Amino acid sequence: MFSSSSSSGGVALVLTCSLLLLVFPTPTASITSPVSHLAADAAVVIPPTGEHKSTLIWMHGLGDSAAGFYDLFLPAEGLLAPGVKVVLLNAPVRPITVNGGMRMRGWYDIYSMDRLRKEDEEGIAQSVVSVSAVIDQESLLVGSNKIVVGGFSQGAAMSVRTALEYPAKLAGVVALSGYVFQKTISRMQEANRVTPFFAYHGESDPVVPFPYGKEGFDSLITAGVPVEWHSERGLGHSLSPKELSLVSSFIARVLA
């Protein structure tokens, strides 16, 4: 879960991460119909201010929900320019092996904390199909080249994998405290091989270790993907004001 505190200057650093599923009150926003295997509350939509010109599709981390990022993307926070619609997706509830089979929202199962072991390729592929369907829907409204896909932790890994498999050009990808799946490069399509990627990682991250995150994005850079990589000393598995400022600038730039 993320909790945020707002001030007149923007978003203050009170953003923390939890891997446990918490129950949130329903936000005051429109709820879309289910997409594929996603839950009945598949997405929370924050409408754009003014004319709808572009869309940010966002995926939360393990055990969180769309509500965890709702306040962050409200127009009053000023993170996004007017005209950007935000679609906050909810992952389905599933047993997570590494958490003793506890049921929580997750884009795929995690079998072990050993990142080099088998990944839940079936669950990953299923989520790629579902998220791609949301991109398809938004493309009908603004065109795929006006869509940014992003996420935190599990959601970051999903945003990278989905974008690189998507068959049409996207505006950009944002991956915060994330990593790259083992088969991402081998499954990469040409459409988004040169799409701008933004990756940010805390050097003190205890959940997704910094070396593991960096190694994955270095592999993308080696494969020719233009990744804008940032790290922050002392930052754990969370967000910071500096990070959010850079995210805001990146999204504005790729949607210009």
Side-chain angles (χ1 to χ4, degrees):
M1 181 192 76
F2 285 89
S3 59
S4 63
S5 169
S6 300
S7 65
S8 58
V11 180
L13 179 56
V14 194
L15 295 158
T16 57
C17 176
S18 169
L19 294 184
L20 295 180
L21 178 65
L22 301 180
V23 178
F24 293 87
T26 302
T28 305
S30 59
I31 307 297
T32 69
S33 60
V35 177
S36 187
H37 78 299
L38 299 184
D41 53 341
V44 175
V45 176
I46 301 176
T49 54
E51 181 185 358
H52 180 201
K53 298 180 179 180
S54 53
T55 298
L56 169 65
I57 298 173
W58 191 263
M59 286 164 275
H60 60 77
L62 178 64
D64 202 354
S65 73
F69 285 88
Y70 178 72
D71 289 346
L72 181 64
F73 290 115
L74 287 175
E77 297 297 341
L79 193 68
L80 303 174
V84 181
K85 172 184 177 181
V86 182
V87 180
L88 303 170
L89 298 181
N90 272 313
V93 176
R94 67 172 78 232
I96 301 297
T97 301
V98 75
N99 285 349
M102 183 182 298
R103 294 182 61 82
M104 59 183 66
R105 291 194 186 277
W107 298 104
Y108 46 88
D109 194 6
I110 297 178
Y111 301 130
S112 167
M113 292 305 291
D114 182 350
R115 306 289 183 176
L116 298 180
R117 290 189 179 181
K118 180 182 176 183
E119 294 176 333
D120 178 18
E121 190 59 34
E122 181 179 353
I124 293 167
Q126 194 175 39
S127 287
V128 166
V129 170
S130 296
V131 176
S132 295
V134 178
I135 299 175
D136 290 344
Q137 292 174 359
E138 290 301 311
S139 295
L140 297 175
L141 302 175
V142 294
S144 65
N145 65 338
K146 288 295 183 180
I147 295 174
V148 173
V149 178
F152 179 86
S153 194
Q154 256 206 354
M158 280 304 310
S159 69
V160 172
R161 176 68 170 265
T162 303
L164 288 175
E165 286 193 33
Y166 196 70
K169 182 74 169 66
L170 300 172
V173 180
V174 176
L176 308 182
S177 300
Y179 48 97
V180 178
F181 297 125
Q182 296 170 24
K183 295 184 179 180
T184 294
I185 293 177
S186 66
R187 297 182 62 87
M188 181 166 53
Q189 305 298 308
E190 289 299 319
N192 289 291
R193 184 181 289 270
V194 295
T195 293
F197 279 62
F198 176 96
Y200 201 104
H201 212 108
E203 295 181 10
S204 299
D205 191 331
V207 178
V208 181
F210 177 77
Y212 177 69
K214 187 175 187 302
E215 179 184 6
F217 286 99
D218 281 347
S219 71
L220 291 185
I221 294 171
T222 300
V225 179
V227 178
E228 181 181 323
W229 170 264
H230 297 271
S231 62
E232 184 172 336
R233 183 175 299 176
L235 181 65
H237 199 62
S238 57
L239 307 179
S240 75
K242 175 184 176 183
E243 177 178 10
L244 294 176
S245 177
L246 290 172
V247 168
S248 179
S249 297
F250 173 82
I251 293 176
R253 185 167 70 249
V254 299
L255 291 177

